[in-house]
Amino acid sequence: MDKYKERVRQRVADILPELVALSDTIWSHPEYNFEEHHACAAMSEQLRRFGFQVETGVGGVATSVKGVYESGKPGPNIGIFGEFDAVPGMGHACGHNLMCAMAVGAGEALRSVLDELGGTVSVFGCPAEEGGGGKIIMLQNGAFAGLDVAMLLHSASDTVVQDISYSRTDVLVHFYGKKSHAATWPEEGVSALTPVLELFNTVNALRLEIADRGKILGVIRDGGEEPIYIPDHCSAEFTIRSFSMKDKLDLLDRFLKICQHLAEITNTRFSYEPVGLPYEDIRNNPVLEELLERNFTALGEQVKPRERELGIGCTDMGNVTHEIPGLQSYVLVVPETRGHTPEFEAAVGGPAGHKTIAVGSSAMAMTAVDILTDPSLLGRIRDAFAEMKARYER
């Protein structure tokens, strides 16, 4: 096993200039949700040069990438995921350019030993993580069918194998009343603003009761046209979040019931529409975390516990981990520098980011080598996944 790990590390070192060039060209051409045409082409071209069978537009997303190498021998199908969309208005302030390069690097390093070890490696370029839910669409359309594991490393300010993220659903709520002149004929109107204001008051009153089970946060999108008119339509957008998908769904159901009741008591009409796709909480596989931590340590990385300072958001990789044994973990670029900042954007486009590519590529490839050389590990991974499914379904 150590022999194969050393070989994948050496392969990463050999191809590092190509991986850096891939990362840099994506960093220099930031593209946003579902418009990642340059990144899609660059990643596809690099995978082809490495000998992968490459498809684009898989899973119903035009700018997605799937590169596959099959050894022709029995063995697990290892899924390695990368992202390449930018943060709207901030370029690559989340470091997805590095994540794409790490996925390609890990995939190629694994390919270089796969004919001996058996199995398959599948490398994915996943668009629109920043709010578009690219992986969710790909998952729903079967792009990840047949994978035994799914791994993704995210650029960060620390190296961390554990992760937490919110389960999130966003909705736009509408209330409809009757318009009238507020100063002259107010009795003829039915205000659509009244239930919106009462909705915020009710949600605020629930904060103590909801406590740490989740958050309901909102803003008014349409509060009417002019003060002199009683508005016949008003709307507000809310995000409902929890670290538990079950709690989030319970909160969402309660929220919508509140909206309906407020419409009834204010003599208005209520409707709602989803905003984007629901992102679910990350459920990292503990066996994969254990293997990755061991390989990070072997590479000289200091693995730290998951702390709030790393940031807590939402990721469409969470949806993947509900269906496939997987993980999203983090790898250090620069310490004490938060993502989604100009400072982090600069770091992921420079020498610190280039070093991260080598570390992340090697760590994922070494973890895959563990799985391919010890059949018992895949059994443990599957058992842990089944236990997770049973725990959350109770």
Side-chain angles (χ1 to χ4, degrees):
M1 181 169 61
D2 289 341
K3 174 184 70 173
Y4 289 115
K5 287 187 177 183
E6 184 54 41
R7 283 173 58 183
V8 298
R9 289 177 63 177
Q10 185 58 53
R11 183 57 182 158
V12 169
D14 291 343
I15 64 173
L16 188 58
E18 293 171 85
L19 301 178
V20 167
L22 174 62
S23 173
D24 284 354
T25 191
I26 293 173
W27 184 86
S28 300
H29 297 83
E31 299 165 305
Y32 308 112
N33 285 354
F34 304 112
E35 299 295 333
E36 308 93 337
H37 301 288
H38 177 82
C40 174
M43 183 181 187
S44 300
E45 181 182 352
Q46 188 63 63
L47 285 168
R48 287 191 183 98
R49 283 202 294 267
F50 285 148
F52 283 78
Q53 295 294 315
V54 179
E55 298 177 73
T56 59
V58 296
V61 183
T63 50
S64 65
V65 179
K66 180 180 181 180
V68 177
Y69 185 84
E70 299 182 61
S71 68
K73 299 178 181 178
N77 187 344
I78 307 294
I80 300 177
F81 287 52
E83 298 168 359
F84 44 45
D85 60 317
V87 181
M90 298 188 69
H92 276 287
C94 206
H96 290 185
N97 56 304
L98 299 183
M99 296 164 65
C100 174
M102 286 188 285
V104 172
E108 166 56 15
L110 191 56
R111 186 208 62 80
S112 70
V113 297
L114 205 67
D115 287 345
E116 297 170 50
L117 298 180
T120 299
V121 58
S122 301
V123 180
F124 295 92
C126 302
E129 189 276 337
E130 295 286 348
K135 293 187 200 66
I136 302 171
I137 300 169
M138 295 172 72
L139 180 68
Q140 291 172 343
N141 288 317
F144 310 136
L147 293 182
D148 289 291
V149 298
M151 294 188 289
L152 179 146
L153 281 187
H154 201 297
S155 321
S157 57
D158 277 317
T159 297
V160 175
V161 298
Q162 296 172 326
D163 196 18
I164 53 174
S165 71
Y166 285 113
S167 175
R168 160 193 166 191
T169 296
D170 294 352
V171 292
L172 183 65
V173 299
H174 301 272
F175 290 91
Y176 300 91
K178 183 180 178 183
K179 190 173 184 178
S180 71
H181 196 283
T184 309
W185 299 289
E187 70 280 3
E188 295 182 5
V190 177
S191 174
L193 184 57
T194 299
V196 171
L197 296 177
E198 289 305 315
L199 179 57
F200 278 89
N201 289 333
T202 304
V203 168
N204 187 58
L206 287 173
R207 292 188 191 280
L208 182 60
E209 181 183 333
I210 292 172
D212 59 357
R213 286 189 294 129
K215 302 176 185 295
I216 302 175
L217 308 170
V219 293
I220 295 176
R221 289 296 186 202
D222 180 1
E225 299 171 0
E226 298 180 27
I228 200 61
Y229 291 107
I230 291 176
D232 61 353
H233 170 260
C234 291
S235 65
E237 184 174 338
F238 284 81
T239 183
I240 294 92
R241 302 185 178 202
S242 175
F243 292 126
S244 159
M245 183 178 73
K246 181 181 182 300
D247 284 345
K248 179 204 68 173
L249 293 175
D250 288 344
L251 289 174
L252 176 62
D253 181 65
R254 186 172 185 181
F255 173 79
L256 295 176
K257 287 178 179 176
I258 291 169
C259 291
Q260 186 60 52
H261 288 314
L262 287 172
E264 291 171 2
I265 64 176
T266 57
N267 202 28
T268 57
R269 181 170 60 87
F270 161 68
S271 69
Y272 75 96
E273 59 190 282
V275 178
L277 295 168
Y279 280 37
E280 301 305 352
D281 50 309
I282 197 87
R283 298 180 183 176
N284 272 6
N285 187 281
V287 180
L288 285 173
E289 286 185 336
E290 177 188 335
L291 296 174
L292 181 63
E293 180 170 2
R294 198 177 299 160
N295 288 310
F296 268 139
T297 302
L299 290 167
E301 290 292 296
Q302 182 183 1
V303 179
K304 296 186 177 181
R306 181 66 161 88
E307 295 180 345
R308 188 178 184 278
E309 187 60 27
L310 200 60
I312 303 174
C314 306
T315 172
D316 55 6
M317 190 65 184
N319 300 61
V320 175
T321 63
H322 285 222
E323 303 300 328
I324 303 166
L327 57 72
Q328 171 174 286
S329 299
Y330 296 88
V331 58
L332 171 70
V333 181
V334 281
E336 300 180 1
T337 305
R338 292 177 178 172
H340 288 219
T341 63
E343 294 79 11
F344 197 76
E345 181 197 13
V348 300
H354 300 160
K355 178 183 176 183
T356 299
I357 296 171
V359 173
S361 299
S362 297
M364 284 194 287
M366 291 163 67
T367 301
V369 166
D370 284 324
I371 298 166
L372 292 172
T373 54
D374 184 351
S376 70
L377 287 175
L378 187 58
R380 288 180 57 205
I381 289 167
R382 288 171 171 166
D383 288 345
F385 182 72
E387 192 279 329
M388 177 275 291
K389 295 287 280 188
R391 183 171 71 252
Y392 281 102
E393 288 172 3
R394 282 199 293 265

